[in-house]
Amino acid sequence: MAYLKEIRFNWDKVESRNRYPFDIPSLKRIKSIYFKSNVTFFVGENGSGKSTLLEAIAQNCGFCVKGGSRNSLLTDDVDDLSLSSILTLAWLPKVSNGFLLRAETFYDYASYIDSLGPEAYASYGGKSLHMQSHGESFLSLLQNRFGGKGIYLLDEPEAALSPQRQLVLLRIIRQLEKDGKAQFIIATHSPILMAYPDADIYSFDHSPIIKVQYEETEHYQVTRGFLNNRDKVLEELFSDD
Ligand SMILES: Nc1ncnc2c1ncn2[C@@H]1O[C@H](COP(=O)(O)OP(=O)(O)OP(=O)(O)O)[C@@H](O)[C@H]1O
Ligand SMILES: [Mg+2]
């Protein structure tokens, strides 16, 4: 069960598909994306359009696209987010609680929380987010700020997290989604995170995006090949030295 069931793309509103973001190959032929699982991953090469879509969804949810929630007062820079204006989100039921979390803008968000004073960061582990390490502050945000009914949009959460902490994140996701309360959409390059059981994985390496199995992802195949045969892979990689 997912709250957000479908995203429809209203292409008739677009005059020219030759400019960003309407020219992104993974997105330009999509009519609808369906969400059947509580946990959905966006995977694909760098620059394939994952963040662009995630931010457009966040904007439609009313979340601050710099990496906060509805109540967050960080100013939005919406110049390049016109994708959101052609999306229709179908909900059952509609939820307004949730969050967009981006590693790139997490620093700004931490500064914003700090500027509100100790009462504000009480719900983030009782300590200024800047006085916690990147990974610690990220997890304390996830553990303390997420909860209840909501839709959580995470953009490369692994950027801050050790492999061990990525496993912790899998547990947090599990706790939040297992009773059907939380829906997650996560853009990731991490073969650990995308292994979450029964998740849907959308590959942005196709035009339009398609659903793939875990084992079909390049992330799984390259990582597996590398770990199983590191010497050979490195030898081939450096063969013209
Ligand atoms: N503001 C912008 N103006 C023009 N092009 C942009 C803008 N932002 C992103 N792009 C381009 O749109 C494409 C998709 O970018 P996007 O950030 O969505 O990729 P991504 O899949 O999230 O990549 P990564 O895995 O590296 O985070 C890229 O080719 C990028 O160069
Ligand atoms: Mg991205």
Side-chain angles (χ1 to χ4, degrees):
M1 192 204 72
Y3 296 119
L4 177 61
K5 306 275 191 223
E6 184 188 353
I7 298 175
R8 282 189 290 275
F9 286 64
N10 305 304
W11 288 106
D12 16 339
K13 292 188 179 171
V14 179
E15 280 171 21
S16 165
R17 296 198 196 184
N18 297 324
R19 65 168 190 88
Y20 176 84
F22 306 115
D23 60 347
I24 297 176
S26 62
L27 302 178
K28 77 195 227 191
R29 275 188 270 273
I30 303 179
K31 292 199 177 88
S32 267
I33 302 174
Y34 294 95
F35 297 90
K36 298 221 162 74
S37 170
N38 286 337
V39 181
T40 304
F41 291 102
F42 291 169
V43 308
E45 236 349 291
N46 293 121
S48 59
K50 305 177 297 296
S51 298
T52 302
L53 180 58
L54 205 60
E55 285 175 20
I57 297 171
Q59 219 194 352
N60 269 277
C61 292
F63 301 158
C64 170
V65 295
K66 281 218 164 173
S69 70
R70 262 174 184 272
N71 301 323
S72 165
L73 293 174
L74 282 174
T75 44
D76 287 356
D77 175 6
V78 293
D79 283 357
D80 55 355
L81 289 167
S82 48
L83 182 62
S84 67
S85 63
I86 71 154
L87 303 183
T88 304
L89 273 54
W91 302 85
L92 199 73
K94 170 86 173 87
V95 291
S96 49
N97 187 36
F99 218 84
L100 167 69
L101 194 53
R102 311 178 51 186
E104 293 134 293
T105 50
F106 184 65
Y107 185 90
D108 294 341
Y109 188 70
S111 302
Y112 163 70
I113 298 299
D114 275 9
S115 72
L116 300 178
E119 271 175 36
Y121 55 70
S123 60
Y124 298 90
K127 205 170 159 188
S128 158
L129 290 173
H130 285 307
M131 290 163 71
Q132 305 178 34
S133 80
H134 191 198
E136 286 167 348
S137 56
F138 212 81
L139 269 196
S140 83
L141 176 73
L142 294 175
Q143 277 162 331
N144 299 294
R145 185 68 175 67
F146 284 22
K149 284 185 179 180
I151 179 160
Y152 299 109
L153 310 172
L154 312 182
D155 197 352
E156 298 190 31
E158 71 273 15
L161 301 175
S162 71
Q164 190 60 44
R165 294 280 170 98
Q166 292 184 39
L167 298 178
V168 173
L169 176 55
L170 287 178
R171 268 183 63 91
I172 295 173
I173 294 170
R174 177 85 180 148
Q175 280 158 8
L176 290 170
E177 76 84 24
K178 72 170 186 239
D179 50 8
K181 279 195 182 153
Q183 178 176 2
F184 287 86
I185 304 176
I186 304 172
T188 187
H189 294 294
S190 164
I192 295 179
L193 294 184
M194 68 183 79
Y196 190 85
D198 300 322
D200 283 333
I201 303 176
Y202 281 109
S203 167
F204 281 59
D205 293 332
H206 295 82
S207 176
I209 62 170
I210 57 165
K211 216 180 257 189
V212 295
Q213 295 300 312
Y214 177 64
E215 293 79 6
E216 292 173 322
T217 63
E218 198 173 70
H219 311 73
Y220 168 82
Q221 290 176 6
V222 172
T223 308
R224 184 167 190 256
F226 186 82
L227 294 176
N228 281 345
N229 216 338
R230 178 165 49 118
D231 291 340
K232 187 155 172 282
V233 174
L234 290 173
E235 195 183 295
E236 276 172 20
L237 195 61
F238 302 145
S239 60
D240 358 318
D241 280 2

Short mmCIF file of all heavy atoms in Angstrom, two decimals, residues 26-51:
data_model
loop_
_atom_site.label_atom_id
_atom_site.label_comp_id
_atom_site.label_asym_id
_atom_site.label_seq_id
_atom_site.Cartn_x
_atom_site.Cartn_y
_atom_site.Cartn_z
N SER A 26 15.19 9.71 -20.03
CA SER A 26 14.46 8.77 -19.17
C SER A 26 13.04 9.25 -18.88
O SER A 26 12.16 8.45 -18.55
CB SER A 26 15.19 8.57 -17.85
OG SER A 26 15.26 9.80 -17.14
N LEU A 27 12.81 10.55 -19.00
CA LEU A 27 11.50 11.10 -18.62
C LEU A 27 10.64 11.45 -19.82
O LEU A 27 9.41 11.49 -19.71
CB LEU A 27 11.71 12.37 -17.77
CG LEU A 27 12.53 12.19 -16.48
CD1 LEU A 27 12.70 13.54 -15.78
CD2 LEU A 27 11.86 11.19 -15.54
N LYS A 28 11.26 11.68 -20.98
CA LYS A 28 10.50 12.38 -22.01
C LYS A 28 9.38 11.58 -22.66
O LYS A 28 8.50 12.17 -23.25
CB LYS A 28 11.42 13.06 -23.03
CG LYS A 28 12.07 12.25 -24.05
CD LYS A 28 13.17 13.13 -24.64
CE LYS A 28 13.21 13.14 -26.12
NZ LYS A 28 14.42 13.76 -26.63
N ARG A 29 9.37 10.29 -22.49
CA ARG A 29 8.27 9.52 -23.08
C ARG A 29 7.30 8.94 -22.04
O ARG A 29 6.44 8.13 -22.37
CB ARG A 29 8.84 8.38 -23.91
CG ARG A 29 9.19 8.81 -25.32
CD ARG A 29 9.55 7.62 -26.17
NE ARG A 29 10.98 7.36 -26.09
CZ ARG A 29 11.87 7.96 -26.90
NH1 ARG A 29 11.47 8.80 -27.81
NH2 ARG A 29 13.15 7.68 -26.77
N ILE A 30 7.41 9.37 -20.80
CA ILE A 30 6.57 8.77 -19.75
C ILE A 30 5.17 9.35 -19.79
O ILE A 30 4.99 10.55 -19.90
CB ILE A 30 7.12 9.06 -18.34
CG1 ILE A 30 8.54 8.57 -18.20
CG2 ILE A 30 6.24 8.42 -17.28
CD1 ILE A 30 9.11 8.85 -16.83
N LYS A 31 4.18 8.45 -19.68
CA LYS A 31 2.80 8.92 -19.50
C LYS A 31 2.44 8.88 -18.02
O LYS A 31 1.88 9.82 -17.48
CB LYS A 31 1.84 8.04 -20.29
CG LYS A 31 2.01 8.17 -21.80
CD LYS A 31 0.76 7.64 -22.53
CE LYS A 31 0.87 7.82 -24.03
NZ LYS A 31 1.53 6.68 -24.67
N SER A 32 2.79 7.76 -17.36
CA SER A 32 2.46 7.57 -15.95
C SER A 32 3.53 6.75 -15.25
O SER A 32 4.13 5.88 -15.88
CB SER A 32 1.17 6.77 -15.81
OG SER A 32 0.06 7.60 -15.71
N ILE A 33 3.73 7.02 -13.98
CA ILE A 33 4.54 6.13 -13.14
C ILE A 33 3.63 5.65 -12.01
O ILE A 33 2.95 6.46 -11.37
CB ILE A 33 5.75 6.88 -12.52
CG1 ILE A 33 6.63 7.49 -13.60
CG2 ILE A 33 6.57 5.92 -11.66
CD1 ILE A 33 7.75 8.35 -13.04
N TYR A 34 3.64 4.34 -11.79
CA TYR A 34 2.79 3.78 -10.74
C TYR A 34 3.63 3.39 -9.53
O TYR A 34 4.76 2.92 -9.68
CB TYR A 34 2.05 2.54 -11.27
CG TYR A 34 1.07 2.89 -12.36
CD1 TYR A 34 1.44 2.80 -13.71
CD2 TYR A 34 -0.20 3.35 -12.05
CE1 TYR A 34 0.56 3.16 -14.71
CE2 TYR A 34 -1.09 3.71 -13.06
CZ TYR A 34 -0.71 3.61 -14.38
OH TYR A 34 -1.57 3.97 -15.36
N PHE A 35 3.07 3.59 -8.36
CA PHE A 35 3.75 3.20 -7.12
C PHE A 35 2.89 2.15 -6.42
O PHE A 35 1.80 2.45 -5.95
CB PHE A 35 3.95 4.42 -6.21
CG PHE A 35 4.84 5.45 -6.84
CD1 PHE A 35 4.32 6.47 -7.62
CD2 PHE A 35 6.21 5.40 -6.67
CE1 PHE A 35 5.14 7.41 -8.23
CE2 PHE A 35 7.04 6.34 -7.27
CZ PHE A 35 6.51 7.35 -8.04
N LYS A 36 3.42 0.92 -6.40
CA LYS A 36 2.64 -0.17 -5.79
C LYS A 36 3.22 -0.54 -4.44
O LYS A 36 2.52 -0.99 -3.54
CB LYS A 36 2.63 -1.38 -6.72
CG LYS A 36 1.98 -1.06 -8.06
CD LYS A 36 1.10 -2.19 -8.54
CE LYS A 36 0.13 -1.75 -9.60
NZ LYS A 36 0.73 -1.50 -10.92
N SER A 37 4.53 -0.39 -4.30
CA SER A 37 5.20 -0.77 -3.06
C SER A 37 5.37 0.47 -2.17
O SER A 37 5.37 1.60 -2.67
CB SER A 37 6.56 -1.36 -3.42
OG SER A 37 7.34 -1.52 -2.27
N ASN A 38 5.53 0.24 -0.89
CA ASN A 38 5.81 1.36 0.03
C ASN A 38 7.20 1.95 -0.20
O ASN A 38 7.49 3.05 0.25
CB ASN A 38 5.76 0.90 1.48
CG ASN A 38 4.34 0.66 1.94
OD1 ASN A 38 3.41 1.21 1.38
ND2 ASN A 38 4.19 -0.17 2.95
N VAL A 39 8.06 1.15 -0.83
CA VAL A 39 9.43 1.61 -1.03
C VAL A 39 9.78 1.50 -2.52
O VAL A 39 9.68 0.42 -3.11
CB VAL A 39 10.44 0.79 -0.20
CG1 VAL A 39 11.86 1.30 -0.40
CG2 VAL A 39 10.07 0.82 1.28
N THR A 40 10.16 2.62 -3.11
CA THR A 40 10.51 2.66 -4.54
C THR A 40 11.89 3.26 -4.68
O THR A 40 12.19 4.28 -4.04
CB THR A 40 9.50 3.54 -5.31
OG1 THR A 40 8.19 3.04 -5.07
CG2 THR A 40 9.79 3.52 -6.81
N PHE A 41 12.71 2.65 -5.51
CA PHE A 41 14.04 3.21 -5.77
C PHE A 41 14.12 3.76 -7.18
O PHE A 41 13.57 3.17 -8.12
CB PHE A 41 15.13 2.14 -5.60
CG PHE A 41 15.30 1.73 -4.16
CD1 PHE A 41 14.77 0.54 -3.69
CD2 PHE A 41 15.98 2.55 -3.26
CE1 PHE A 41 14.91 0.17 -2.36
CE2 PHE A 41 16.13 2.19 -1.93
CZ PHE A 41 15.59 1.00 -1.49
N PHE A 42 14.81 4.89 -7.32
CA PHE A 42 15.20 5.42 -8.62
C PHE A 42 16.68 5.15 -8.78
O PHE A 42 17.48 5.61 -7.96
CB PHE A 42 14.98 6.93 -8.69
CG PHE A 42 13.54 7.38 -8.69
CD1 PHE A 42 13.23 8.73 -8.54
CD2 PHE A 42 12.48 6.49 -8.87
CE1 PHE A 42 11.90 9.18 -8.56
CE2 PHE A 42 11.16 6.93 -8.88
CZ PHE A 42 10.87 8.28 -8.72
N VAL A 43 17.05 4.36 -9.80
CA VAL A 43 18.46 4.08 -10.02
C VAL A 43 18.83 4.42 -11.45
O VAL A 43 17.96 4.51 -12.33
CB VAL A 43 18.82 2.59 -9.72
CG1 VAL A 43 18.32 2.17 -8.35
CG2 VAL A 43 18.28 1.66 -10.79
N GLY A 44 20.11 4.60 -11.70
CA GLY A 44 20.55 4.91 -13.06
C GLY A 44 21.81 5.75 -13.03
O GLY A 44 22.22 6.24 -11.97
N GLU A 45 22.38 5.90 -14.21
CA GLU A 45 23.65 6.62 -14.36
C GLU A 45 23.57 8.03 -13.79
O GLU A 45 22.48 8.59 -13.68
CB GLU A 45 23.93 6.71 -15.87
CG GLU A 45 25.22 6.17 -16.39
CD GLU A 45 26.25 5.82 -15.34
OE1 GLU A 45 26.78 6.73 -14.68
OE2 GLU A 45 26.54 4.63 -15.19
N ASN A 46 24.71 8.62 -13.53
CA ASN A 46 24.78 10.04 -13.17
C ASN A 46 24.16 10.84 -14.30
O ASN A 46 24.43 10.58 -15.48
CB ASN A 46 26.24 10.50 -12.99
CG ASN A 46 26.90 9.86 -11.78
OD1 ASN A 46 27.91 9.18 -11.91
ND2 ASN A 46 26.33 10.05 -10.62
N GLY A 47 23.33 11.79 -13.95
CA GLY A 47 22.73 12.65 -14.97
C GLY A 47 21.53 12.05 -15.68
O GLY A 47 21.06 12.60 -16.67
N SER A 48 21.01 10.93 -15.18
CA SER A 48 19.90 10.28 -15.90
C SER A 48 18.53 10.85 -15.51
O SER A 48 17.53 10.46 -16.11
CB SER A 48 19.95 8.76 -15.69
OG SER A 48 19.87 8.43 -14.34
N GLY A 49 18.48 11.72 -14.52
CA GLY A 49 17.21 12.41 -14.24
C GLY A 49 16.53 12.08 -12.92
O GLY A 49 15.41 12.54 -12.67
N LYS A 50 17.20 11.33 -12.06
CA LYS A 50 16.58 10.89 -10.80
C LYS A 50 16.25 12.08 -9.89
O LYS A 50 15.14 12.19 -9.38
CB LYS A 50 17.53 9.93 -10.05
CG LYS A 50 17.96 8.73 -10.88
CD LYS A 50 18.94 7.85 -10.14
CE LYS A 50 20.25 8.51 -9.79
NZ LYS A 50 21.08 8.91 -10.96
N SER A 51 17.24 12.96 -9.68
CA SER A 51 17.01 14.09 -8.77
C SER A 51 15.98 15.05 -9.34
O SER A 51 15.17 15.61 -8.61
CB SER A 51 18.32 14.86 -8.53
OG SER A 51 19.26 14.03 -7.90
#
